[in-house]
Amino acid sequence: MSHDHNHLPSEIRHEKPLWWALGLTTSYLIVEVIGAFWTNSLALLSDAAHMATDALGLMIALTAVRLSRRPPDARRTYGYARLEALGAVTNGLLLFGVGIYILWEAAERFRQPQDIASTGMMWVAAFGLVVNLIAMRLLSAGSGESLNVKGAYLEVWSDMLGSVAVIAGGLIIHFTGWTLVDPILAVLIGLWVLPRTWVLLRDAINVLLEGVPKGVVLGDVEQALRGHAGVAGIHDLHVWALASSTPALTAHVVMNEGQEPDVLRRKLADVLHERFGIDHVTLQVEVDHCGDDCADMKPQAADDHDHDHDGHSHGSDRQGHHGHVHR
């Protein structure tokens, strides 16, 4: 196999802009929370929750970069990639709590409008606009090469729109005195943040539950494997995610007569890589589908397994041909 599937260099090359963007975003998040209580602006507080999702997106991107370098060990044979999903669930639950609080507070302010320091509100939002524009500039170069950086770039871009909305609200309050625009903006920003937070939680929980990765249709994968000329059948097919961007697959493949198990396994691994981007593949190639009779068979010794790493294999001519392909 002549493919180069190491995506690590581009991730490392774009790590520094991610750190700068995270530092700027986190600094402004602190300023915005302080400014929200100083100006009594619920819109600013709601935008701070939105900014928190941006900081979370940047932290997840950096976590993915860092954890991708940490090798598995004797206790965690898959490595530490799922810490990304655990962190996303924790932060997502916190953001849900903040979002519900903002919507509750907005309902109270509709009943009893409060004074807003519109000038301070605009200054804080303007500072946030500058921070977002700088962060967008830092991330723009890598947004076309790395999915992690692209996700962070889109997060910052959407928050830039939130800052513009808060500035517009401050101008309306300053020139018209209509303070109800503040809770209205808070509700709109909150309704923008909560669905995105739910998507984040849903994707993270799917990883933890070993669900089929986003963008992968199990039926299409099975059809692609069954469609190969050397395949008589597929069973025990499982596709899950080691992390948000690391799909894995295991399957039992019943091969047609006259096939070489190692050759077939490598060809199927190529199909999975090219069509679905699945590179962590474990395939057991069988001469016949033994079904329930497998339970009556004695366990095979370690010598009965063969492992295929980057195209190097050690064959087995017995009924079950086990192979691990990690591209």
Side-chain angles (χ1 to χ4, degrees):
M1 291 180 288
S2 60
H3 307 289
D4 180 9
H5 305 301
N6 182 11
H7 303 288
L8 191 57
S10 64
E11 297 289 348
I12 294 175
R13 184 157 61 87
H14 297 301
E15 183 177 354
K16 188 174 181 179
L18 282 170
W19 277 113
W20 276 105
L22 177 59
L24 288 170
T25 301
T26 304
S27 299
Y28 176 63
L29 172 60
I30 296 171
V31 171
E32 194 168 34
V33 170
I34 295 173
F37 287 102
W38 170 49
T39 62
N40 200 31
S41 171
L42 190 61
L44 271 181
L45 186 60
S46 182
D47 190 54
H50 187 188
M51 182 66 81
T53 64
D54 295 347
L56 175 61
L58 289 166
M59 284 188 286
I60 288 175
L62 282 165
T63 299
V65 171
R66 287 283 177 174
L67 293 180
S68 65
R69 301 183 218 172
R70 190 168 184 177
D73 55 36
R75 294 187 62 190
R76 296 171 181 86
T77 57
Y78 274 130
Y80 296 79
R82 290 205 170 171
L83 289 176
E84 173 193 3
L86 288 171
V89 169
T90 301
N91 284 281
L93 292 174
L94 290 174
L95 286 170
F96 255 118
V98 171
I100 292 172
Y101 165 76
I102 288 171
L103 293 177
W104 175 270
E105 185 66 21
E108 292 295 320
R109 292 198 180 193
F110 279 122
R111 288 194 288 268
Q112 295 181 346
Q114 300 183 20
D115 293 333
I116 306 294
S118 59
T119 302
M121 174 182 173
M122 286 187 291
W123 275 110
V124 174
F127 177 59
L129 179 61
V130 173
V131 168
N132 285 315
L133 290 174
I134 295 174
M136 287 174 64
R137 176 65 178 173
L138 289 169
L139 298 173
S140 60
S143 62
E145 301 177 28
S146 165
L147 291 177
N148 277 322
V149 179
K150 182 178 181 180
Y153 177 82
L154 293 175
E155 290 281 348
V156 174
W157 183 86
S158 63
D159 193 68
M160 183 268 294
L161 296 179
S163 296
V164 171
V166 174
I167 292 172
L171 288 171
I172 293 173
I173 294 172
H174 183 75
F175 289 106
T176 68
W178 188 43
T179 58
L180 281 179
V181 72
D182 180 67
I184 290 173
L185 284 174
V187 170
L188 292 176
I189 295 172
L191 292 177
W192 170 261
V193 172
L194 287 177
R196 294 166 65 226
T197 304
W198 165 247
V199 171
L200 175 69
L201 273 174
R202 183 192 63 193
D203 292 344
I205 291 173
N206 187 60
V207 171
L208 295 176
L209 293 179
E210 298 185 342
V212 176
K214 183 178 180 180
V216 177
V217 179
L218 189 63
D220 292 345
V221 175
E222 182 173 3
Q223 184 177 6
L225 293 175
R226 289 183 181 275
H228 193 279
V231 175
I234 297 289
H235 62 103
D236 289 339
L237 173 62
H238 302 278
V239 183
W240 72 100
L242 301 176
S244 61
S245 58
T246 313
L249 177 146
T250 63
H252 289 209
V253 180
V254 183
M255 67 179 182
N256 286 317
E257 293 184 4
Q259 299 293 317
E260 288 292 333
D262 291 339
V263 174
L264 177 61
R265 187 161 47 244
R266 285 196 281 272
K267 288 182 178 179
L268 293 178
D270 284 340
V271 170
L272 293 169
H273 165 73
E274 292 168 5
R275 291 191 55 181
F276 306 101
I278 303 176
D279 297 330
H280 192 109
V281 177
T282 303
L283 299 174
Q284 176 173 308
V285 180
E286 303 168 345
V287 175
D288 188 17
H289 186 347
C290 55
D292 295 335
D293 296 335
C294 293
D296 299 327
M297 296 176 62
K298 294 182 180 180
Q300 291 179 308
D303 292 338
D304 293 334
H305 298 270
D306 66 291
H307 302 279
D308 181 8
H309 292 286
D310 297 329
H312 303 288
S313 62
H314 305 280
S316 172
D317 294 324
R318 305 195 182 186
Q319 182 178 9
H321 302 270
H322 306 269
H324 177 67
V325 183
H326 192 171
R327 308 173 64 89

Short mmCIF file of all heavy atoms in Angstrom, two decimals, residues 85-124:
data_model
loop_
_atom_site.label_atom_id
_atom_site.label_comp_id
_atom_site.label_asym_id
_atom_site.label_seq_id
_atom_site.Cartn_x
_atom_site.Cartn_y
_atom_site.Cartn_z
N ALA A 85 -13.84 13.66 24.31
CA ALA A 85 -15.29 13.53 24.42
C ALA A 85 -15.76 13.78 25.85
O ALA A 85 -16.80 14.42 26.07
CB ALA A 85 -15.73 12.14 23.95
N LEU A 86 -15.02 13.30 26.84
CA LEU A 86 -15.39 13.53 28.23
C LEU A 86 -15.36 15.02 28.56
O LEU A 86 -16.26 15.54 29.24
CB LEU A 86 -14.44 12.78 29.16
CG LEU A 86 -14.59 11.25 29.18
CD1 LEU A 86 -13.45 10.62 29.97
CD2 LEU A 86 -15.93 10.85 29.78
N GLY A 87 -14.35 15.72 28.07
CA GLY A 87 -14.28 17.17 28.30
C GLY A 87 -15.42 17.89 27.62
O GLY A 87 -15.99 18.84 28.17
N ALA A 88 -15.78 17.46 26.42
CA ALA A 88 -16.88 18.10 25.70
C ALA A 88 -18.21 17.91 26.43
O ALA A 88 -19.03 18.83 26.48
CB ALA A 88 -16.97 17.52 24.29
N VAL A 89 -18.43 16.72 26.99
CA VAL A 89 -19.67 16.48 27.73
C VAL A 89 -19.74 17.37 28.97
O VAL A 89 -20.78 18.00 29.25
CB VAL A 89 -19.78 15.00 28.14
CG1 VAL A 89 -20.91 14.79 29.14
CG2 VAL A 89 -20.01 14.13 26.91
N THR A 90 -18.64 17.46 29.72
CA THR A 90 -18.62 18.29 30.92
C THR A 90 -18.89 19.75 30.60
O THR A 90 -19.74 20.40 31.22
CB THR A 90 -17.25 18.17 31.63
OG1 THR A 90 -17.03 16.80 31.96
CG2 THR A 90 -17.21 19.01 32.88
N ASN A 91 -18.19 20.27 29.61
CA ASN A 91 -18.38 21.67 29.23
C ASN A 91 -19.75 21.91 28.62
O ASN A 91 -20.35 22.96 28.83
CB ASN A 91 -17.29 22.10 28.26
CG ASN A 91 -15.96 22.34 28.94
OD1 ASN A 91 -15.74 23.37 29.56
ND2 ASN A 91 -15.07 21.38 28.84
N GLY A 92 -20.25 20.95 27.88
CA GLY A 92 -21.58 21.10 27.29
C GLY A 92 -22.66 21.20 28.35
O GLY A 92 -23.58 22.02 28.24
N LEU A 93 -22.57 20.39 29.40
CA LEU A 93 -23.55 20.46 30.49
C LEU A 93 -23.48 21.81 31.21
O LEU A 93 -24.52 22.39 31.56
CB LEU A 93 -23.30 19.31 31.48
CG LEU A 93 -23.60 17.90 30.95
CD1 LEU A 93 -23.18 16.86 31.96
CD2 LEU A 93 -25.08 17.76 30.60
N LEU A 94 -22.26 22.31 31.41
CA LEU A 94 -22.12 23.63 32.04
C LEU A 94 -22.73 24.72 31.17
O LEU A 94 -23.41 25.63 31.66
CB LEU A 94 -20.65 23.92 32.30
CG LEU A 94 -19.98 23.09 33.40
CD1 LEU A 94 -18.48 23.38 33.44
CD2 LEU A 94 -20.61 23.37 34.76
N LEU A 95 -22.50 24.63 29.86
CA LEU A 95 -23.05 25.64 28.95
C LEU A 95 -24.57 25.57 28.90
O LEU A 95 -25.24 26.60 28.77
CB LEU A 95 -22.47 25.44 27.55
CG LEU A 95 -21.01 25.87 27.37
CD1 LEU A 95 -20.47 25.41 26.03
CD2 LEU A 95 -20.88 27.37 27.52
N PHE A 96 -25.13 24.38 29.00
CA PHE A 96 -26.59 24.25 29.06
C PHE A 96 -27.12 24.97 30.30
O PHE A 96 -28.14 25.66 30.24
CB PHE A 96 -27.00 22.77 29.09
CG PHE A 96 -27.55 22.28 27.80
CD1 PHE A 96 -26.92 21.27 27.11
CD2 PHE A 96 -28.70 22.83 27.26
CE1 PHE A 96 -27.42 20.82 25.90
CE2 PHE A 96 -29.22 22.39 26.06
CZ PHE A 96 -28.57 21.37 25.38
N GLY A 97 -26.44 24.78 31.42
CA GLY A 97 -26.86 25.47 32.64
C GLY A 97 -26.82 26.97 32.50
O GLY A 97 -27.76 27.68 32.91
N VAL A 98 -25.75 27.49 31.90
CA VAL A 98 -25.63 28.93 31.68
C VAL A 98 -26.73 29.42 30.74
O VAL A 98 -27.36 30.46 30.97
CB VAL A 98 -24.25 29.28 31.12
CG1 VAL A 98 -24.18 30.74 30.69
CG2 VAL A 98 -23.17 29.00 32.16
N GLY A 99 -26.98 28.67 29.67
CA GLY A 99 -28.00 29.07 28.70
C GLY A 99 -29.39 29.12 29.31
O GLY A 99 -30.16 30.06 29.05
N ILE A 100 -29.73 28.13 30.13
CA ILE A 100 -31.05 28.12 30.78
C ILE A 100 -31.17 29.28 31.76
O ILE A 100 -32.22 29.94 31.85
CB ILE A 100 -31.27 26.77 31.49
CG1 ILE A 100 -31.39 25.65 30.45
CG2 ILE A 100 -32.51 26.81 32.38
CD1 ILE A 100 -31.43 24.26 31.03
N TYR A 101 -30.07 29.59 32.48
CA TYR A 101 -30.09 30.73 33.40
C TYR A 101 -30.34 32.04 32.64
O TYR A 101 -31.13 32.89 33.09
CB TYR A 101 -28.78 30.82 34.16
CG TYR A 101 -28.58 32.16 34.85
CD1 TYR A 101 -29.27 32.46 36.03
CD2 TYR A 101 -27.73 33.12 34.30
CE1 TYR A 101 -29.10 33.70 36.64
CE2 TYR A 101 -27.56 34.35 34.92
CZ TYR A 101 -28.24 34.64 36.08
OH TYR A 101 -28.09 35.86 36.69
N ILE A 102 -29.69 32.20 31.50
CA ILE A 102 -29.86 33.44 30.72
C ILE A 102 -31.30 33.58 30.23
O ILE A 102 -31.89 34.67 30.29
CB ILE A 102 -28.86 33.44 29.54
CG1 ILE A 102 -27.44 33.67 30.08
CG2 ILE A 102 -29.22 34.52 28.53
CD1 ILE A 102 -26.36 33.48 29.03
N LEU A 103 -31.89 32.49 29.74
CA LEU A 103 -33.28 32.56 29.28
C LEU A 103 -34.22 32.88 30.44
O LEU A 103 -35.19 33.64 30.28
CB LEU A 103 -33.66 31.24 28.61
CG LEU A 103 -32.94 30.91 27.30
CD1 LEU A 103 -33.37 29.54 26.78
CD2 LEU A 103 -33.20 31.98 26.24
N TRP A 104 -33.96 32.31 31.61
CA TRP A 104 -34.77 32.61 32.79
C TRP A 104 -34.65 34.07 33.18
O TRP A 104 -35.65 34.74 33.45
CB TRP A 104 -34.35 31.70 33.94
CG TRP A 104 -35.05 32.00 35.24
CD1 TRP A 104 -34.66 32.86 36.22
CD2 TRP A 104 -36.31 31.45 35.68
NE1 TRP A 104 -35.56 32.88 37.24
CE2 TRP A 104 -36.58 32.03 36.94
CE3 TRP A 104 -37.19 30.53 35.14
CZ2 TRP A 104 -37.73 31.71 37.66
CZ3 TRP A 104 -38.32 30.21 35.87
CH2 TRP A 104 -38.58 30.79 37.11
N GLU A 105 -33.43 34.57 33.21
CA GLU A 105 -33.20 35.97 33.57
C GLU A 105 -33.82 36.92 32.55
O GLU A 105 -34.36 37.98 32.90
CB GLU A 105 -31.69 36.23 33.68
CG GLU A 105 -31.31 37.63 34.16
CD GLU A 105 -31.73 37.90 35.60
OE1 GLU A 105 -31.95 36.94 36.36
OE2 GLU A 105 -31.81 39.11 35.95
N ALA A 106 -33.78 36.54 31.27
CA ALA A 106 -34.40 37.36 30.23
C ALA A 106 -35.90 37.47 30.44
O ALA A 106 -36.49 38.55 30.27
CB ALA A 106 -34.10 36.77 28.85
N ALA A 107 -36.54 36.35 30.83
CA ALA A 107 -37.98 36.38 31.09
C ALA A 107 -38.30 37.34 32.23
O ALA A 107 -39.30 38.08 32.19
CB ALA A 107 -38.48 34.97 31.41
N GLU A 108 -37.44 37.38 33.28
CA GLU A 108 -37.64 38.31 34.39
C GLU A 108 -37.50 39.75 33.93
O GLU A 108 -38.25 40.64 34.35
CB GLU A 108 -36.62 38.00 35.50
CG GLU A 108 -36.84 36.67 36.20
CD GLU A 108 -38.14 36.65 36.97
OE1 GLU A 108 -38.49 37.67 37.61
OE2 GLU A 108 -38.83 35.60 36.94
N ARG A 109 -36.56 40.02 33.04
CA ARG A 109 -36.33 41.39 32.59
C ARG A 109 -37.42 41.88 31.63
O ARG A 109 -37.61 43.08 31.49
CB ARG A 109 -34.95 41.50 31.93
CG ARG A 109 -33.82 41.31 32.92
CD ARG A 109 -32.51 41.84 32.40
NE ARG A 109 -31.45 41.64 33.38
CZ ARG A 109 -30.26 42.21 33.30
NH1 ARG A 109 -29.98 43.01 32.27
NH2 ARG A 109 -29.35 42.00 34.22
N PHE A 110 -38.08 40.95 30.96
CA PHE A 110 -39.22 41.37 30.15
C PHE A 110 -40.33 41.91 31.06
O PHE A 110 -41.05 42.84 30.68
CB PHE A 110 -39.74 40.21 29.31
CG PHE A 110 -38.95 39.96 28.05
CD1 PHE A 110 -38.36 38.74 27.81
CD2 PHE A 110 -38.81 40.96 27.11
CE1 PHE A 110 -37.64 38.51 26.65
CE2 PHE A 110 -38.08 40.75 25.94
CZ PHE A 110 -37.50 39.52 25.71
N ARG A 111 -40.45 41.32 32.26
CA ARG A 111 -41.48 41.78 33.19
C ARG A 111 -41.04 43.05 33.92
O ARG A 111 -41.84 43.93 34.17
CB ARG A 111 -41.78 40.66 34.20
CG ARG A 111 -42.56 39.50 33.62
CD ARG A 111 -43.12 38.62 34.72
NE ARG A 111 -42.07 37.86 35.38
CZ ARG A 111 -41.70 36.63 35.03
NH1 ARG A 111 -42.29 36.04 34.02
NH2 ARG A 111 -40.75 36.01 35.70
N GLN A 112 -39.76 43.12 34.24
CA GLN A 112 -39.23 44.28 34.96
C GLN A 112 -37.95 44.76 34.28
O GLN A 112 -36.84 44.35 34.64
CB GLN A 112 -38.95 43.94 36.42
CG GLN A 112 -40.19 43.59 37.22
CD GLN A 112 -39.85 43.28 38.67
OE1 GLN A 112 -38.69 43.08 39.04
NE2 GLN A 112 -40.89 43.25 39.52
N PRO A 113 -38.07 45.63 33.26
CA PRO A 113 -36.89 46.15 32.55
C PRO A 113 -35.94 46.86 33.51
O PRO A 113 -36.37 47.50 34.48
CB PRO A 113 -37.48 47.12 31.53
CG PRO A 113 -38.90 46.67 31.34
CD PRO A 113 -39.34 46.15 32.69
N GLN A 114 -34.65 46.73 33.25
CA GLN A 114 -33.63 47.33 34.09
C GLN A 114 -32.77 48.29 33.29
O GLN A 114 -32.67 48.20 32.07
CB GLN A 114 -32.75 46.24 34.74
CG GLN A 114 -33.53 45.28 35.61
CD GLN A 114 -32.63 44.26 36.28
OE1 GLN A 114 -31.43 44.47 36.40
NE2 GLN A 114 -33.21 43.16 36.75
N ASP A 115 -32.12 49.22 34.02
CA ASP A 115 -31.23 50.17 33.37
C ASP A 115 -29.97 49.46 32.87
O ASP A 115 -29.44 48.56 33.52
CB ASP A 115 -30.82 51.28 34.34
CG ASP A 115 -32.02 52.16 34.72
OD1 ASP A 115 -32.96 52.25 33.90
OD2 ASP A 115 -32.01 52.72 35.84
N ILE A 116 -29.52 49.91 31.70
CA ILE A 116 -28.34 49.31 31.08
C ILE A 116 -27.31 50.40 30.81
O ILE A 116 -27.65 51.48 30.30
CB ILE A 116 -28.69 48.62 29.74
CG1 ILE A 116 -29.83 47.61 29.93
CG2 ILE A 116 -27.46 47.96 29.14
CD1 ILE A 116 -29.46 46.44 30.78
N ALA A 117 -26.06 50.16 31.17
CA ALA A 117 -24.97 51.09 30.85
C ALA A 117 -24.55 50.84 29.41
O ALA A 117 -23.62 50.09 29.11
CB ALA A 117 -23.80 50.89 31.80
N SER A 118 -25.25 51.49 28.48
CA SER A 118 -25.08 51.19 27.06
C SER A 118 -23.68 51.51 26.55
O SER A 118 -23.15 50.80 25.69
CB SER A 118 -26.12 51.95 26.24
OG SER A 118 -26.01 53.35 26.45
N THR A 119 -23.07 52.58 27.06
CA THR A 119 -21.74 52.95 26.58
C THR A 119 -20.72 51.87 26.92
O THR A 119 -19.93 51.43 26.07
CB THR A 119 -21.30 54.30 27.18
OG1 THR A 119 -22.25 55.30 26.83
CG2 THR A 119 -19.92 54.70 26.66
N GLY A 120 -20.73 51.43 28.18
CA GLY A 120 -19.82 50.36 28.59
C GLY A 120 -20.10 49.07 27.83
O GLY A 120 -19.18 48.33 27.46
N MET A 121 -21.39 48.80 27.60
CA MET A 121 -21.79 47.61 26.85
C MET A 121 -21.17 47.62 25.46
O MET A 121 -20.63 46.61 24.98
CB MET A 121 -23.32 47.57 26.77
CG MET A 121 -23.91 46.48 25.92
SD MET A 121 -25.74 46.65 25.91
CE MET A 121 -26.18 45.42 24.70
N MET A 122 -21.20 48.79 24.79
CA MET A 122 -20.65 48.89 23.43
C MET A 122 -19.14 48.76 23.43
O MET A 122 -18.54 48.15 22.54
CB MET A 122 -21.09 50.21 22.80
CG MET A 122 -22.55 50.25 22.38
SD MET A 122 -22.97 51.74 21.46
CE MET A 122 -22.86 52.99 22.76
N TRP A 123 -18.47 49.36 24.45
CA TRP A 123 -17.01 49.28 24.51
C TRP A 123 -16.55 47.83 24.69
O TRP A 123 -15.58 47.39 24.05
CB TRP A 123 -16.47 50.15 25.65
CG TRP A 123 -16.29 51.58 25.26
CD1 TRP A 123 -17.01 52.65 25.68
CD2 TRP A 123 -15.29 52.10 24.37
NE1 TRP A 123 -16.54 53.81 25.11
CE2 TRP A 123 -15.48 53.50 24.30
CE3 TRP A 123 -14.26 51.53 23.63
CZ2 TRP A 123 -14.68 54.32 23.52
CZ3 TRP A 123 -13.46 52.35 22.83
CH2 TRP A 123 -13.68 53.72 22.78
N VAL A 124 -17.21 47.11 25.57
CA VAL A 124 -16.83 45.71 25.80
C VAL A 124 -17.07 44.88 24.54
O VAL A 124 -16.21 44.07 24.13
CB VAL A 124 -17.63 45.11 26.98
CG1 VAL A 124 -17.34 43.62 27.12
CG2 VAL A 124 -17.26 45.82 28.28
#
